[in-house]
Amino acid sequence: MAKLERKFPSVTECNGSSTYESVAADLDGTLLISRSSFPYFMLVAVEAGSLLRGLVLLLSLPIVIISYIFISEALGIQILIFISYAGLKIRDIELVSRAVLPRFYAADVRRESFEVFDKCKRKVVVTANPTIMVEPFVKDFLGGDKVLGTEIEVNPKTKRATGFVKKPGVLVGDWKKIAVLKEFGEEKPDIGLGDRKTDHDFMSVCKEGYMVPPSKSAKPVQPDRLKSRIIFHDGRFVQRPDPLVALITFMWLPFGFILSIFRVYFHLPLPERITRYSYEMFGIHLVIRGNRPPAPSPGTPGNLYVCNHRTALDPIIIAIALGRKVSCVTYSVSKLSRFLSPIPAIALTRDRAADAARISEILQKGDLVVCPEGTTCREPFLLRFSALFAELSDRIVPVAMDCKQGMFNGTTVRGVKFWDPYFFFMNPRPTYEVTFLERLPKEMTVKAGGKSSIEVANYVQRVLGNVLGFECTGLTRKDKYLLLGGNDGKVESINKK
């Protein structure tokens, strides 16, 4: 017997002045503007798996679409899950779900449906997507209480996903309805939100149901309306890998890799004063602002250039902007990377006294670049500045750094850091912006001005934040790595893993 099709009003007709106790809402196409979950499966396939797995997923898309439209929604999603998840460590999937996906989800939250969802006290998301994939975002950014989603099957011995799903299977149609009834019991949800016919089943058991129609004019919610802010995130893709974007990216990869090799190794032997101009020949745009300090005269200590940290290339870009070699210090760059660096890169030990002595010795010989944040931050925020630099010199020159990457991110937490510069130079038209500020006045230094090192560090952070338009925070390298990588960010702990 055919089911009677029930019509539901648009979400725009929901009485926003009313207070609702509970809501059950679909995710793709309902709370999110996009109706397709393909980009997020692609992110899992690439970031928890490999580029090869991502390519296989892209090539399989026609099969997924045919299965989804002509056979069943459940089969199409099962194919996505199998290709994206089979053989992956559960730990890697969890980290990608926490470190990579939220940035893309957060940019796609639909305003009118979120406003209704957010007014409810008890918020439950009902989705065909794997629970493990969407739960961190739903709870941390949407304020959801629970996710009713598809549960993936895990090999108990290897702790890897098998690619299949647990019973009752992919959560669509009647299974969504059963999951909602089981979760809420006799207390039916006040509101049900969905965007397609297969959502009607669970919406019909809610006291009120509203459809979220597809709309090209749908607006995303403002980032500050979400429950958390995106400050840290990981992953190589800059843009959400929709099918067309993914296709262009994979087509560009071989050309981009060859181009990055030329960009890196052609410039290694060149003097910095020439590199500035040859960068433009290779499609690298370098913007230099402010007055560049001259080289220190013989017998005079060098300048200490203090910059915010965007990528591992920051000190090299400063050297190119100055037109001369400067030294830099690093904690976690490999010996091979230091060997290939076009400027002297000195490894520090995280022993405060030993590092202070090493930095003082370098400054007696010439200029030095330090990044007191201790790690990179992609978003417009500045992390807490370590105060050690302020104790070692009064010749402090703040330098504001920013970069623009259109296809690939040149930083990583979980990936191989050696490839960071290559990914940056794989972008078709990368841009770096360097702004030299005036040297700190003597009254704002430790030795001559009597300021504490913490006061100086905070002052430099504020100055750079004002120039860049970035927000200053008290977050640290440890905060970043605990969130994105599940470790404290020290080389020792990573090696132990």
Side-chain angles (χ1 to χ4, degrees):
M1 184 177 176
K3 294 181 182 178
L4 292 175
E5 186 176 335
R6 180 176 169 184
K7 293 188 178 294
F8 295 93
S10 170
V11 69
T12 55
E13 298 179 29
C14 183
N15 187 356
S17 61
S18 301
T19 301
Y20 297 99
E21 287 293 326
S22 57
V23 60
D26 180 46
L27 188 64
D28 296 309
T30 303
L31 292 175
L32 301 180
I33 296 173
S34 172
R35 304 186 76 205
S36 172
S37 57
F38 172 82
Y40 308 105
F41 282 104
M42 174 62 76
L43 289 166
V44 173
V46 171
E47 302 296 346
S50 64
L51 287 169
L52 178 59
R53 184 186 289 262
L55 179 60
V56 172
L57 180 63
L58 180 62
L59 296 176
S60 304
L61 185 58
I63 299 174
V64 173
I65 294 173
I66 292 171
S67 301
Y68 188 96
I69 295 175
F70 296 105
I71 303 177
S72 73
E73 181 181 344
L75 179 60
I77 295 172
Q78 173 64 81
I79 297 173
L80 286 174
I81 292 174
F82 183 83
I83 298 173
S84 304
Y85 283 68
L88 296 182
K89 293 180 181 178
I90 291 301
R91 174 64 172 163
D92 289 337
I93 298 172
E94 290 173 342
L95 286 174
V96 169
S97 300
R98 190 172 71 222
V100 180
L101 300 187
R103 177 175 77 94
F104 296 97
Y105 277 134
D108 197 40
V109 177
R110 186 162 173 164
R111 186 167 61 192
E112 58 263 38
S113 52
F114 175 76
E115 295 297 340
V116 174
F117 183 81
D118 192 45
K119 285 183 171 67
C120 300
K121 295 180 180 178
R122 185 184 179 190
K123 310 177 186 72
V124 176
V125 169
V126 192
T127 177
N129 292 324
T131 304
I132 191 175
M133 189 167 88
V134 303
E135 191 169 52
F137 170 73
V138 168
K139 290 188 174 181
D140 295 341
F141 292 86
L142 299 183
D145 298 298
K146 190 165 184 178
V147 173
L148 304 177
T150 301
E151 300 296 335
I152 63 172
E153 189 179 81
V154 181
N155 186 316
K157 293 182 179 179
T158 62
K159 303 296 183 184
R160 292 177 181 269
T162 65
F164 299 101
V165 299
K166 294 180 180 178
K167 293 182 179 180
V170 177
L171 210 67
V172 295
D174 281 334
W175 294 120
K176 282 188 175 182
K177 175 182 176 180
I178 293 171
V180 169
L181 290 172
K182 184 177 179 181
E183 174 66 22
F184 286 88
E186 296 181 1
E187 292 292 330
K188 295 181 179 181
D190 290 332
I191 295 181
L193 299 177
D195 70 299
R196 61 197 80 191
K197 286 184 179 180
T198 52
D199 293 331
H200 288 186
D201 293 301
F202 86 83
M203 292 169 64
S204 64
V205 301
C206 302
K207 296 176 183 177
E208 298 178 21
Y210 296 94
M211 290 294 289
V212 182
S215 173
K216 292 183 179 180
S217 61
K219 302 293 184 183
V221 71
Q222 291 297 315
D224 58 3
R225 287 284 291 111
L226 300 177
K227 305 304 178 183
S228 300
R229 295 186 298 175
I230 299 290
I231 298 178
F232 299 128
H233 56 86
D234 202 13
R236 291 296 189 185
F237 288 147
V238 171
Q239 301 180 54
R240 188 179 66 184
D242 295 315
L244 180 58
V245 172
L247 177 62
I248 293 172
T249 301
F250 278 103
M251 290 177 64
W252 171 256
L253 264 174
F255 302 102
F257 180 72
I258 294 172
L259 178 61
S260 73
I261 295 296
F262 276 107
R263 284 171 166 173
V264 170
Y265 291 99
F266 177 83
H267 290 103
L268 275 182
L270 292 183
E272 284 73 16
R273 63 181 182 276
I274 297 176
T275 301
R276 174 184 173 185
Y277 302 101
S278 62
Y279 261 19
E280 290 292 341
M281 295 170 51
F282 283 81
I284 306 165
H285 189 43
L286 186 60
V287 180
I288 304 172
R289 303 186 183 95
N291 298 318
R292 288 166 287 174
S297 56
T300 305
N303 292 315
L304 182 60
Y305 294 97
V306 180
C307 68
N308 60 302
H309 205 6
R310 300 304 272 180
T311 78
L313 295 170
D314 291 338
I316 298 172
I317 298 299
I318 289 176
I320 294 170
L322 290 170
R324 62 179 186 270
K325 290 195 181 298
V326 296
S327 300
C328 69
V329 292
T330 179
Y331 285 113
S332 56
V333 175
S334 68
K335 290 182 180 180
L336 178 59
S337 296
R338 293 202 302 272
F339 174 76
L340 293 174
S341 173
I343 63 173
I346 295 88
L348 298 182
T349 62
R350 297 192 188 277
D351 179 291
R352 190 177 180 86
D355 290 344
R358 179 73 61 86
I359 292 174
S360 297
E361 180 183 350
I362 298 170
L363 283 170
Q364 292 303 315
K365 299 177 182 178
D367 293 337
L368 175 67
V369 177
V370 296
C371 305
E373 287 176 289
T375 188
T376 58
C377 183
R378 298 174 177 176
E379 295 299 311
F381 297 91
L382 295 181
L383 309 187
R384 189 181 73 192
F385 276 31
S386 169
L388 177 60
F389 75 87
E391 302 172 7
L392 306 177
S393 176
D394 286 348
R395 299 172 61 87
I396 298 172
V397 179
V399 185
M401 308 292 293
D402 202 4
C403 61
K404 297 174 182 177
Q405 303 158 92
M407 192 173 283
F408 301 105
N409 285 308
T411 60
T412 185
V413 169
R414 297 179 55 257
V416 180
K417 293 183 180 296
F418 174 80
W419 294 112
D420 285 358
Y422 298 90
F423 271 101
F424 178 83
F425 287 122
M426 281 171 65
N427 286 290
R429 181 68 169 163
T431 298
Y432 237 110
E433 299 176 358
V434 187
T435 305
F436 291 95
L437 308 184
E438 295 299 321
R439 183 190 297 174
L440 253 61
K442 289 185 177 181
E443 60 268 21
M444 287 306 303
T445 62
V446 172
K447 297 176 182 178
K451 299 289 185 179
S452 72
S453 59
I454 294 177
E455 286 179 309
V456 175
N458 290 342
Y459 174 76
V460 173
Q461 185 196 41
R462 288 196 303 272
V463 168
L464 292 177
N466 290 336
V467 170
L468 292 165
F470 290 2
E471 181 178 336
C472 298
T473 75
L475 298 171
T476 65
R477 173 189 177 92
K478 184 176 181 179
D479 295 321
K480 171 183 170 179
Y481 275 80
L482 285 174
L483 175 66
L484 304 185
N487 58 67
D488 59 11
K490 293 182 179 179
V491 178
E492 295 81 11
S493 67
I494 296 173
N495 290 338
K496 287 178 183 177
K497 290 175 72 71

